[in-house]
Each structure stands twice: as C-alpha cells, then as structure tokens.
Amino acid sequence: MRKKTWVLCSVIVLSIIFLFVTAYSQDNIKYVQDPAFTKRMRPAAVFNHDEHNENASIDDCSTCHHFYKDKVKVENETSEDMKCSECHKIDKDPVPLINKYHLRCKGCHEQEKAGPLMCSECHVK
Ligand code: HEC
Ligand code: HEC
Ligand code: HEC
Ligand code: HEC
C-alpha cells in the first residue's frame, strides 16, 4: 500500500514537471501573434518556426532576430529573447510595425520567389 502511494506521488510530480516544461518551452512556435497589436484586423500569421527555417535553409538567426545598438546593426549579435515590438514600438499607429513584419516576411518570399505572398496564405482563419 505504501509503495503504491509512493509510485502514485512520483507519477503526479513527474506529470506536473512535464506539463510545466512543455508549457514554458515555446521554442517551436506555430504562428506569430504580436501582442502589441491590441485591435487585430487579421488572424495570427502562420509560422512554423523551426520547420520554416529548416525548409527555407535559414541558418543565421539574425536574419530575423537582428540586434541594433545606437541605430547601428551589431553583427554576430541576436535578439531572439526580445519581441520585435520591443524595439519597433507602436506609437498610436500600428502601420510601421506591420510594415516591418511584411518587409521581413514577404520581402524574402518575393526575393526568393518562394513562400506565400497573399494575405490569406499567412493570415489563415
Ligand atoms: C524567418 C525569421 C526567423 C528566423 C530566421 C528565426 N526566427 Fe526566431 N522568431 C521569429 C519570429 C517572428 C518570432 C516571434 C517574435 C515575437 O514573438 O515577437 C520568433 C520567436 C523566437 C523565440 C521566442 C519563442 C517564444 O517562445 O516566444 C526564440 C527563442 C527564437 N525565435 C529563436 C530563434 C533562433 C535560435 C533562431 C536561429 C536558429 C531563430 N529564432 C531564427 C522569426 C525568426
Ligand atoms: C534590439 C531592437 C530590435 C529588435 C528586437 C528588432 N529590430 Fe528590427 N530594427 C531595429 C532598428 C534600430 C532598425 C533600423 C531602424 C528602422 O528601420 O526602424 C531595424 C530595422 C528593421 C527593418 C528594416 C531594415 C531591414 O533589416 O530590412 C525590418 C524589416 C525589421 N527591423 C524587422 C524586424 C522584425 C520582424 C523583428 C522581430 C523578428 C525585429 N525587427 C526585431 C531594431 C530591432
Ligand atoms: C530569408 C528568407 C525568408 C524569410 C525572412 C521568411 N521566409 Fe517564409 N519562406 C521562405 C522560403 C524560401 C519558403 C519556401 C520554403 C519551401 O520551399 O518549402 C517560405 C515559406 C513560408 C511559408 C509556407 C509554409 C512553410 O513553413 O514552409 C509560410 C507560412 C511562411 N514562409 C511565412 C513566413 C513568415 C510569417 C515570415 C516572417 C516572420 C517569413 N516567412 C520569413 C523564406 C523566408
Ligand atoms: C508572409 C506572410 C504574410 C503575408 C503574405 C501577409 N502578412 Fe500581414 N502579417 C504577417 C506577420 C508575421 C504579422 C505580424 C504578426 C501578427 O499577426 O501579429 C502581420 C501583421 C499584420 C497586421 C497587423 C495585425 C492585425 O491583425 O491587425 C495586419 C493588419 C496585416 N498583417 C494585414 C495583412 C494584409 C492586408 C495582407 C495582404 C495584403 C497581409 N497582411 C499579408 C505576415 C503576413
């Protein structure tokens, strides 16, 4: 009886740890939904982070997570621990931040002639 209780307790503890770890490791995000857009006009943009970067053969994290200091881009420095909107702040008008995202995402798709360009291909309902 004692042994059974002990086993049960360990199972519960392990499940809690597992849930905690999976809930907080969001490294493989499936879509981008920047909380800076408080009044959304479109559904979140689909973006299967790891799979996308593997398929598109993007090895350099700073292609998207670039880092700037005093308005100068710092080479070999990345900013994946920051939201885009931490630097590209929305000051009443959301358009500049929207343009930054579109320039980065659609810009490359146009250049590479691969990847979606239509609104509904990224902002999937
Ligand atoms: C094609 C663009 C792109 C590339 C390349 C890229 N990322 Fe990201 N990544 C994003 C976007 C967009 C987000 C979401 C940003 C946000 O939440 O503001 C993100 C989010 C993240 C996050 C945070 C996930 C979370 O839980 O919110 C981490 C960590 C991360 N990326 C790491 C990396 C690393 C490491 C690399 C290089 C191996 C990399 N990224 C390459 C676009 C990219
Ligand atoms: C550490 C601050 C910082 C972070 C984080 C950041 N940026 Fe930037 N970004 C800048 C600065 C500064 C510039 C240059 C001034 C400008 O164009 O606003 C810039 C320029 C840009 C440009 C235009 C020049 C270019 O490189 O093509 C795009 C597009 C862009 N950022 C998109 C993004 C996206 C998308 C993210 C999130 C994945 C992001 N930025 C995260 C600071 C940052
Ligand atoms: C440096 C180039 C580059 C950047 C930056 C980039 N993409 Fe892509 N993307 C590609 C390429 C290349 C493909 C086609 C990959 C293939 O052929 O499978 C693609 C494909 C996609 C697809 C189709 C499904 C998939 O995952 O392959 C989606 C959705 C997508 N991109 C969204 C985004 C979003 C959202 C961003 C900005 C956060 C972004 N992309 C930034 C190059 C890029
Ligand atoms: C390559 C993918 C891609 C395409 C194509 C694209 N977007 Fe986006 N869009 C994004 C990403 C990434 C963001 C920033 C993440 C988010 O949605 O919060 C964004 C943000 C937005 C936002 C701000 C958030 C909101 O819902 O209010 C609007 C508005 C928007 N896009 C409209 C459009 C329209 C209109 C088109 C077609 C003309 C379009 N997008 C095409 C990827 C894309």
Side-chain angles (χ1 to χ4, degrees):
M1 186 61 192
R2 261 220 187 122
K3 200 176 166 196
K4 248 186 180 171
T5 318
W6 199 86
V7 168
L8 192 68
C9 282
S10 341
V11 168
I12 292 171
V13 168
L14 284 175
S15 318
I16 291 170
I17 292 173
F18 179 76
L19 279 176
F20 196 80
V21 168
T22 43
Y24 286 88
S25 64
Q26 301 170 307
D27 279 0
N28 195 16
I29 54 170
K30 303 277 192 234
Y31 57 87
V32 193
Q33 182 163 26
D34 198 312
F37 300 117
T38 47
K39 291 192 197 93
R40 297 196 60 90
M41 290 176 273
R42 296 268 166 176
V46 286
F47 183 61
N48 199 333
H49 193 280
D50 294 0
E51 200 183 283
H52 172 276
N53 296 341
E54 210 174 291
N55 289 345
S57 319
I58 315 172
D59 301 322
D60 184 1
C61 307
S62 75
T63 304
C64 296
H65 302 290
H66 55 201
F67 188 77
Y68 277 75
K69 199 165 182 251
D70 302 327
K71 294 185 178 148
V72 180
K73 191 175 167 191
V74 186
E75 296 302 330
N76 306 320
E77 190 78 56
T78 55
S79 60
E80 67 268 14
D81 53 342
M82 297 170 80
K83 294 256 174 234
C84 309
S85 53
E86 277 180 53
C87 294
H88 300 289
K89 288 199 173 68
I90 288 186
D91 180 26
K92 289 193 185 106
D93 182 9
V95 171
L97 178 60
I98 297 176
N99 288 345
K100 286 286 189 295
Y101 273 112
H102 288 164
L103 189 61
R104 178 61 71 244
C105 307
K106 284 200 279 182
C108 179
H109 295 168
E110 263 161 17
Q111 211 176 345
E112 303 259 315
K113 295 187 171 55
L117 295 171
M118 307 246 291
C119 315
S120 59
E121 289 177 294
C122 285
H123 298 285
V124 180
K125 283 209 185 79

